[in-house]
Amino acid sequence: MALHYILMADVVGSHSIDSQQLQANFKKLVAHCNESIGEQILSPYTITLGDEFQGVAKSLKGVLESIFYLEENGIRRGYDFKLRYIAHYGEIQTKLNRKIAYEMLGPGLTFARGMLSDKRRDRPRFLFMLENDYLSNNLNRLGKILESLTDRWKVKDFPLISEMLSNHNNKEVGLKHKKNRSQVWKRRKQLFIEEYQLLKSSIFDLEKINKRDANL
């Protein structure tokens, strides 16, 4: 029995977005993720439909790295769509395809696909179904907070948000966006940039604690 960290995602409300532009941007985003953090991925994220992908990460850390890469690079590129994720630790019975996430079978993939197909409006954007219920529950709680925070961000603010996420110097950010240091400080507060970064750190810390406890 081979258990793996399966990650699938689809585009929220894809039917209301221009399909050609969406598919082009979605394809670029997934491809750049595979290229940039390929060392964290066992079976490359592969678009199975125009608005969905699936793949296999090396570890829970790889899953988290993938999610935050996709989220933050979507912002950096100004993409006006959001993804819903299902991360599941489950069985893949066939040989792992390390070139493309096709031609693999197993109850883990079937389960993740079923969860992704749940289109209820109240389904969270970040859903974890892992080997440890305590870990899953806490990641799902943090995921709800992450969703609530990032769903407030508007596309028009994406260039500024992206800059603030990568640069803590308000003066330097202001020079690039024609704002003074005080204005950037105020926007950081309004956009909850510090809270986002603390939340991201907490999510990765939870993964580290789980990994440490598993090795005891």
Side-chain angles (χ1 to χ4, degrees):
M1 180 175 68
L3 296 172
H4 294 284
Y5 287 95
I6 299 162
L7 181 64
M8 295 186 184
D10 65 0
V11 177
V12 178
S14 59
H15 61 280
S16 62
I17 306 172
D18 178 81
S19 59
Q20 288 189 333
Q21 189 64 56
L22 171 62
Q23 290 180 2
N25 291 340
F26 187 44
K27 184 176 181 180
K28 289 177 185 176
L29 185 62
V30 173
H32 283 294
C33 182
N34 284 326
E35 292 169 6
S36 298
I37 60 169
E39 73 280 358
Q40 297 284 354
I41 302 169
L42 288 177
S43 183
Y45 301 126
T46 302
I47 296 175
T48 52
L49 296 172
D51 63 349
E52 298 180 3
F53 77 74
Q54 69 178 30
V56 181
K58 282 187 177 181
S59 62
L60 177 56
K61 179 183 178 183
V63 167
L64 298 176
E65 291 278 5
S66 300
I67 290 173
F68 278 101
Y69 181 92
L70 291 162
E71 289 289 297
E72 292 180 5
N73 277 269
I75 290 170
R76 184 170 64 84
R77 296 171 184 276
Y79 292 161
D80 190 14
F81 60 84
K82 298 183 183 298
L83 299 178
R84 296 188 316 163
Y85 305 87
I86 169 68
H88 176 53
Y89 187 67
E91 183 182 2
I92 297 177
Q93 295 174 327
T94 53
K95 184 178 179 180
L96 204 65
N97 191 331
R98 296 181 181 272
K99 293 184 178 181
I100 187 171
Y102 279 140
E103 300 175 347
M104 297 185 296
L105 298 171
L109 291 164
T110 302
F111 178 83
R113 172 62 57 190
M115 296 300 295
L116 190 67
S117 298
D118 180 0
K119 303 298 184 182
R120 289 178 296 178
R121 294 182 67 181
D122 61 346
R123 212 217 84 178
R125 284 214 300 122
F126 306 94
L127 183 59
F128 296 87
M129 306 290 286
L130 306 173
E131 70 276 26
N132 182 310
D133 288 341
Y134 176 83
L135 176 64
S136 297
N137 289 337
N138 279 284
L139 284 172
N140 286 329
R141 292 187 185 109
L142 294 174
K144 284 293 290 183
I145 301 171
L146 180 64
E147 177 180 352
S148 177
L149 193 159
T150 56
D151 281 1
R152 299 181 184 187
W153 293 348
K154 307 300 182 184
V155 175
K156 64 181 179 63
D157 293 319
F158 279 7
L160 179 61
I161 291 169
S162 182
E163 188 70 34
M164 288 191 294
L165 289 175
S166 61
N167 190 343
H168 297 283
N169 189 307
N170 289 337
K171 183 177 180 180
E172 292 178 0
V173 173
L175 288 172
K176 290 186 178 181
H177 293 270
K178 298 181 180 179
K179 298 179 184 293
N180 61 43
R181 184 160 48 189
S182 178
Q183 288 173 319
V184 175
W185 178 87
K186 185 176 181 180
R187 292 299 283 150
R188 279 190 191 275
K189 295 295 183 182
Q190 292 172 336
L191 294 165
F192 299 98
I193 299 300
E194 182 181 0
E195 287 80 358
Y196 170 85
Q197 291 171 323
L198 289 171
L199 181 58
K200 180 179 178 180
S201 295
S202 296
I203 289 172
F204 278 97
D205 284 346
L206 190 59
E207 180 274 331
K208 292 176 184 176
I209 293 170
N210 179 70
K211 184 177 181 180
R212 182 199 65 194
D213 290 348
N215 293 329
L216 291 177

